[in-house]
């Protein structure tokens, strides 16, 4: 009876000790906080990186927020963020502003690749489309497949919800910031779109390449004269596939200390494996270890 | 000494009574707090100058002129160079889905209720009633998934529809979810029609069918109306099923074979990633208030009907 009690007491004390120890560790570690801000497209990617990195490196806190690439760059100029995530390269004027304001050069690091695949039902005979044809389809100017050389049937449009980065990217790069036609059906996630298109002979949809099974990918041409490319990883990597882009990180001056450690980890194979899980493309091997400085 | 245990018992009773009282009030307070919070987040639409400029009540409800050479339009396109926040397409979408759901489920649910209340043998009733009520425990996401994968294909081949995911698909799936609601309340209403009504009818020479249709059904009418209204309320606010089965295109017309987007599905999909504090964010909360007010009104109406039904029957008895 008595030993039971002392055992119990020992356990309680041990537990308390462990608790205090962890508490102490977390308080100590609060000193190392990193802030990451920028592109809404990259928020999820940034958060996933932060989550895994924080799990592996107890004592580092990474805060990730969105707001848009422009917001992130502005924050970098004002010194309110350590790392800026951007889904477009920084403009020359913005680089100049940074030099003026903070006295350092912008340091650019490509962290991932982003590309979009267009797909139709397997029964659809269409092989290739130009970017401007895609724009006409998704703004509702072209409504029948026969206008594109396909069979005489309606085009049924599938797309992503307006909160997704894919939606924003497609709108910006393919529709040139025009609105999607209201007839675009929006489904939660690329997998749902693929499923819908695989069952709909009149359907067309877009999404990440990694998801595609059971549908036919459309080859994309930049314009009527240029050659068409299929959305393979190789074509995205060498930049010949027209709807792809790099995603960037920017810091004010070359990263140092904890920021450098984090940036190195992000472009390392460990960091790049997360890129794939989130639905983007890992960097081509060559640029994997060295960021480009501009 | 004898008073001791008695006193303790009183203290226990007192404590438990208070505890139950607190629980009851907590749920009321929670609802009020939810409403206040959601309401608070939509207030900037009326007060904040920047938000007001991008979205205000007239932009939400009145068609807007977006290009000078085209007539005013009602468009829901919140992510755009010129954000468009018209709720009209969403309201039409919600009503379309709910209407189909009611048209599909009411005849089935009431017929089933009439059968189990009036004609079924006790054994058949023992099987049918719990089975239909079990349908209520199917998670709505499962019904939605079924509609997305299976029902949509069936409806498309049967009706030769252009759109695979459309208003009919969403409505029928929604109907499946509200059948148990309508059935259970209607059945209760039919069962509680006094025996004397039936006996009088049968004694006057009416057959069971005539009795069921001309006496029992009209007597239970307020209860059945309440069932339909509560089913309507449930369908109106249901999110997951329409989100998966409707295709979510914000088209503001009354063509039931086209895709539709509901108010609730809009909140569910867009609130997750919206920029905190933007006009879009506040509009979504306003939609929440709007939905809450409507479903609250509908449920209130339903309860009113049930109360009337009960007083009518008990009044008839005495």
């Amino acid at each position: 009876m008595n030993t039971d009690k002392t055992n119990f007491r020992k356990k309680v004390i041990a537990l308390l000790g462990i608790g205090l120890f962890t508490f102490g560790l977390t308080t100590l570690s609060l000193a190392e906080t990193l802030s990451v801000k920028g592109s809404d497209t990259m928020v999820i990617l940034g958060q996933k990186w932060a989550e895994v990195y924080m799990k592996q490196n107890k004592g580092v806190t990474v805060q990730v927020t969105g707001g848009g690439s422009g917001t992130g760059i502005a924050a970098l100029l004002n010194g309110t963020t350590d790392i800026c995530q951007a889904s477009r390269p920084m403009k020359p004027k913005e680089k100049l502003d940074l030099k003026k304001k903070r006295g350092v050069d912008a340091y650019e690091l490509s962290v991932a690749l982003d590309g979009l695949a267009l797909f139709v039902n397997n029964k659809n005979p269409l092989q290739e489309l130009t970017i401007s044809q895609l724009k006409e389809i998704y703004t509702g100017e072209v409504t029948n497949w026969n206008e594109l050389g396909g069979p005489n049937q309606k085009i049924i449009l599938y797309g992503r919800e307006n909160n997704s980065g894919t939606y924003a990217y497609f709108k910006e790069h393919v529709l040139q910031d025009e609105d999607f036609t209201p007839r675009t059906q929006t489904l939660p996630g690329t997998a749902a779109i693929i499923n819908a298109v695989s069952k709909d002979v009149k359907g067309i949809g877009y999404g990440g390449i990694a998801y595609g099974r059971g549908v036919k990918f459309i080859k994309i041409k930049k314009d009527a004269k240029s050659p068409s490319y299929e959305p393979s990883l190789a074509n995205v990597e060498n930049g010949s596939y027209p709807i792809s882009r790099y995603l960037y990180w920017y810091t004010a001056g070359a990263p140092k200390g904890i920021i450098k450690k984090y940036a190195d980890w992000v472009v390392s194979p460990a960091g790049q494996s997360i890129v794939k899980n989130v639905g983007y493309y890992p960097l081509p091997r060559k640029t994997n270890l060295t960021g480009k400085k501009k | 000494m004898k008073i001791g245990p008695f006193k303790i018992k009183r203290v226990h009773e007192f404590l438990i009574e208070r505890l139950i009282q607190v629980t009851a009030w907590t749920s009321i307070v929670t609802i009020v707090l939810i409403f206040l919070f959601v309401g608070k987040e939509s207030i900037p639409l009326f007060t904040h100058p920047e938000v007001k400029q991008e979205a205000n009540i007239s932009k939400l409800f009145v068609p807007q002129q977006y290009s000078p050479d085209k007539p005013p339009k009602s468009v829901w396109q919140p992510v755009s160079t010129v954000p468009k926040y018209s709720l009209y397409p969403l309201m039409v979408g919600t009503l379309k889905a709910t209407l189909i759901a009611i048209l599909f489920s009411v005849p089935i649910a009431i017929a089933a209720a009439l059968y189990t209340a009036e004609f079924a043998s006790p054994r058949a009733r023992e099987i049918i009633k719990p089975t239909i009520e079990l349908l209520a425990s199917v998670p709505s996401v499962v019904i939605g998934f079924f509609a997305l994968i299976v029902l949509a294909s069936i409806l498309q081949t049967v009706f030769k529809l252009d759109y695979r995911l459309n208003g009919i698909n969403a409505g029928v799936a929604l109907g499946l979810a509200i059948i148990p609601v309508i059935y259970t309340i209607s059945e209760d209403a039919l069962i509680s029609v006094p025996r004397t009504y039936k006996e009088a009818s049968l004694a006057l020479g009416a057959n069971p069918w005539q009795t069921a249709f001309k006496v029992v059904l009209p007597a239970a009418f307020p209860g059945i109306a309440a069932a339909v209204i509560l089913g309507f309320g449930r369908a109106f606010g249901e999110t997951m099923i329409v989100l998966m089965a409707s295709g979510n295109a914000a088209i503001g017309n009354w063509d039931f074979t086209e895709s539709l987007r509901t108010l609730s599905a809009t909140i569910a999909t867009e609130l997750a990633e919206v920029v905190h504090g933007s006009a879009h964010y506040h509009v979504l909360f306003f939609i929440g208030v709007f939905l809450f007010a409507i479903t609250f009104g509908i449920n209130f109406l339903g309860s009113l009907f049930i109360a009337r039904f009960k007083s009518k029957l008990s009044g008839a008895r005495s």
Side-chain angles (χ1 to χ4, degrees):
Chain A
M1 192 65 191
N2 210 359
T3 47
D4 266 8
K5 248 186 191 170
T6 40
N7 265 342
F8 179 70
R9 257 187 214 155
K10 268 184 192 163
K11 270 184 195 162
V12 168
I13 289 168
L15 269 178
L16 275 178
I18 292 168
L20 268 176
F21 185 67
T22 12
F23 178 74
L25 267 186
T26 25
T27 349
L28 273 177
S29 65
L30 275 181
E32 292 197 305
T33 301
L34 271 175
S35 57
V36 180
K37 195 178 176 69
S39 163
D40 283 325
T41 313
M42 297 168 69
V43 169
I44 298 165
L45 180 61
Q47 268 165 357
K48 201 79 213 167
W49 269 328
E51 219 173 85
V52 176
Y53 190 75
M54 284 191 283
K55 223 178 259 170
Q56 290 170 1
N57 299 272
K58 295 263 151 53
V60 183
T61 311
V62 184
Q63 289 171 338
V64 183
T65 45
S69 301
T71 315
I73 290 167
L76 196 67
L77 291 180
N78 297 327
T80 51
T81 187
D82 296 318
I83 295 162
C84 157
Q85 301 196 108
S87 54
R88 62 165 170 85
M90 232 168 135
K91 294 172 191 157
K93 190 183 170 293
E94 289 164 338
K95 286 182 179 168
L96 216 68
D97 281 349
L98 187 71
K99 180 88 185 157
K100 251 188 243 163
K101 236 177 167 171
R102 312 256 322 253
V104 283
D105 284 319
Y107 184 85
E108 182 183 277
L109 184 69
S110 319
V111 290
L113 267 169
D114 186 13
L116 273 190
L118 267 292
F119 36 79
V120 294
N121 191 276
N122 281 332
K123 290 191 188 124
N124 195 319
L126 208 73
Q127 295 293 338
E128 50 181 39
L129 287 171
T130 66
I131 301 260
S132 66
Q133 277 175 324
L134 279 178
K135 184 183 168 187
E136 282 168 359
I137 293 172
Y138 271 95
T139 50
E141 279 170 53
V142 170
T143 54
N144 196 309
W145 283 111
N146 64 10
E147 292 174 67
L148 305 161
N152 178 18
Q153 55 188 17
K154 230 177 167 170
I155 302 175
I156 308 291
L157 301 161
Y158 294 96
R160 291 291 306 276
E161 279 292 343
N162 60 30
N163 60 23
S164 88
T166 318
Y167 172 97
Y169 176 50
F170 195 83
K171 190 177 161 70
E172 195 184 324
H173 290 261
V174 180
L175 305 189
Q176 270 116 41
D177 264 334
E178 277 186 43
D179 285 347
F180 282 89
T181 159
R183 272 166 221 286
T184 316
Q185 303 192 38
T186 57
L187 302 180
T190 304
I193 296 176
I194 296 226
N195 182 288
V197 172
S198 71
K199 292 194 161 125
D200 191 341
V201 283
K202 300 168 200 158
I204 182 169
Y206 62 83
I209 301 166
Y211 292 95
R213 285 227 176 82
V215 286
K216 186 167 121 189
F217 289 104
I218 293 285
K219 290 180 190 162
I220 305 294
K221 297 199 277 190
K222 205 162 190 176
D223 47 57
K225 284 169 203 151
S226 51
S228 61
Y229 291 97
E230 57 182 311
S232 65
L233 192 58
N235 283 343
V236 171
E237 278 178 353
N238 64 26
S240 51
Y241 184 68
I243 6 183
S244 68
R245 60 173 170 180
Y246 275 100
L247 300 174
Y248 303 99
W249 269 18
Y250 285 98
T251 53
K256 277 180 271 198
I258 179 79
I259 302 177
K260 180 165 173 30
K261 259 194 212 158
Y262 186 36
D264 284 346
W265 176 78
V266 159
V267 293
S268 75
Q272 290 297 306
S273 69
I274 291 164
V275 172
K276 218 172 201 168
N277 292 343
V278 180
Y280 298 109
Y281 303 97
L283 294 167
R285 291 258 166 217
K286 274 169 277 170
T287 52
N288 239 357
L289 294 170
T290 50
K292 302 177 276 177
K293 198 188 164 189
K294 274 188 187 170
Chain B
M1 278 303 276
K2 269 187 183 173
I3 301 164
F6 177 68
K7 255 193 177 167
I8 286 171
K9 201 180 169 196
R10 286 295 297 267
V11 170
H12 275 195
E13 260 175 28
F14 177 81
L15 283 179
I16 288 167
E17 221 178 275
R18 286 286 162 272
L19 194 74
I20 293 170
Q21 209 172 17
V22 167
T23 338
W25 279 102
T26 314
S27 45
I28 293 177
V29 170
T30 317
I31 291 174
V32 172
L33 283 181
I34 290 174
F35 190 71
L36 282 182
F37 171 74
V38 176
K40 193 190 109 225
E41 291 294 328
S42 66
I43 284 173
L45 280 182
F46 306 95
T47 56
H48 198 282
E50 274 174 47
V51 174
K52 240 167 86 180
Q53 210 197 352
E54 198 180 319
N56 54 38
I57 291 300
S58 85
K59 283 190 179 170
L60 294 186
F61 292 103
V62 182
Q64 297 289 310
Q65 186 127 29
Y66 292 111
S67 60
D69 52 333
K70 283 180 189 159
K73 281 193 294 184
S74 295
V75 183
W76 175 260
Q77 194 81 251
V79 179
S80 166
T81 35
V82 183
K84 304 169 185 73
Y85 292 108
S86 174
L87 297 188
Y88 177 75
L90 307 181
M91 289 191 287
V92 170
T94 311
L95 282 177
K96 273 199 299 194
T98 313
L99 228 61
I100 300 254
I102 292 290
L103 287 178
F104 171 75
S105 61
V106 163
I108 295 177
I110 292 181
L114 200 63
Y115 171 71
T116 44
E118 293 298 313
F119 303 106
S121 67
R123 240 193 103 185
R125 187 167 180 270
E126 292 278 291
I127 297 169
I128 295 170
K129 196 170 151 75
T131 311
I132 295 183
E133 283 168 358
L134 205 66
L135 200 61
S137 63
V138 178
S140 53
V141 65
V142 174
I143 297 181
F145 190 67
F146 167 74
L148 174 70
I149 305 288
V150 184
L151 189 63
S153 297
I154 296 173
L155 288 176
Q156 193 180 26
T157 31
V158 171
F159 294 111
K160 308 247 179 307
L161 303 170
D162 271 337
Y163 288 89
R164 195 173 160 271
L165 300 175
N166 54 50
I168 297 171
N169 184 35
V172 170
L174 210 48
L176 288 178
I178 62 171
I179 282 176
V181 178
I182 300 178
Y183 168 82
T184 311
I185 303 172
S186 304
E187 218 254 352
D188 284 348
L190 289 167
I191 287 282
S192 52
V193 170
R195 268 188 84 80
T196 46
Y197 281 37
K198 274 184 263 177
E199 279 162 4
S201 167
L202 292 170
L204 285 170
N207 65 29
W209 273 102
Q210 286 168 325
T211 307
F213 271 99
K214 302 221 163 120
V215 176
V216 179
L217 204 58
F221 176 75
I224 291 171
V228 173
I229 292 169
L230 292 177
F232 187 89
R234 164 85 206 276
F236 202 84
E238 172 58 48
T239 309
M240 210 54 215
I241 294 174
V242 282
L243 178 65
M244 298 180 82
S246 70
N248 297 312
I251 307 171
N253 67 19
W254 287 93
D255 184 345
F256 288 89
T257 64
E258 283 201 44
S259 173
L260 58 83
R261 187 183 187 90
T262 67
L263 292 163
S264 54
T266 303
I267 301 181
T269 51
E270 295 178 16
L271 197 57
E273 300 285 327
V274 71
V275 179
H276 192 96
S278 64
H280 187 189
Y281 175 86
H282 295 300
V283 169
L284 290 179
F285 273 96
F286 180 79
I287 295 177
V289 173
F290 190 69
L291 259 181
F292 193 94
I294 290 175
T295 43
F296 185 81
I298 291 170
N299 283 348
F300 183 73
L301 207 68
S303 316
L304 219 64
F305 264 95
I306 290 183
R308 222 190 91 195
F309 173 66
K310 281 197 175 135
S311 68
K312 187 185 151 196
L313 282 189
S314 57
R317 236 176 243 162
S318 64

